[in-house]
Amino acid sequence: MAIPDDIGEYVEKHIKLMVSQTETYLPFIKVAFPYSKNVADGVYNLIIGSALSVFVNQFAMRMKYPNEEDFADFGKIALRYRDQVDQFFK
């Protein structure tokens, strides 16, 4: 993996926190958006968008820039949580 271990761990912890918060807010989400066709996609995109910001900021704090391989590895980390988010809405 091209991403430094500490950045990968930080991003993964952030995603896990966001997934945990989704589970906590699930009753509200289902009541607030009853007619949305695919809330799981929206929630997943919000989680990953937030994690992407954390990812880029972690590199910036080290005065570095993520390269193409780093972004591909970020995508692999993010994809691990897709099914978990989907399961909340089934």
Side-chain angles (χ1 to χ4, degrees):
M1 192 182 244
I3 298 174
D5 289 340
D6 59 329
I7 293 177
E9 288 173 21
Y10 194 85
V11 168
E12 195 144 4
K13 284 180 184 177
H14 181 77
I15 293 172
K16 287 178 182 179
L17 172 65
M18 298 292 289
V19 168
S20 170
Q21 288 176 340
T22 299
E23 189 172 18
T24 300
Y25 290 113
L26 195 55
F28 163 77
I29 293 169
K30 287 183 176 183
V31 169
F33 304 105
Y35 302 111
S36 296
K37 296 194 186 259
N38 198 338
V39 179
D41 276 347
V43 169
Y44 177 75
N45 290 337
L46 285 171
I47 290 170
I48 299 311
S50 176
L52 180 60
S53 176
V54 167
F55 172 74
V56 171
N57 284 330
Q58 287 296 308
F59 273 93
M61 288 188 334
R62 291 163 178 80
M63 304 290 243
K64 295 182 180 181
Y65 298 98
N67 61 32
E68 186 177 338
E69 188 178 354
D70 296 326
F71 281 111
D73 288 343
F74 171 82
K76 291 174 188 173
I77 291 171
L79 191 58
R80 287 186 245 166
Y81 296 92
R82 182 68 180 121
D83 289 339
Q84 190 175 355
V85 173
D86 276 343
Q87 290 304 312
F88 290 142
F89 298 94
K90 293 200 182 221

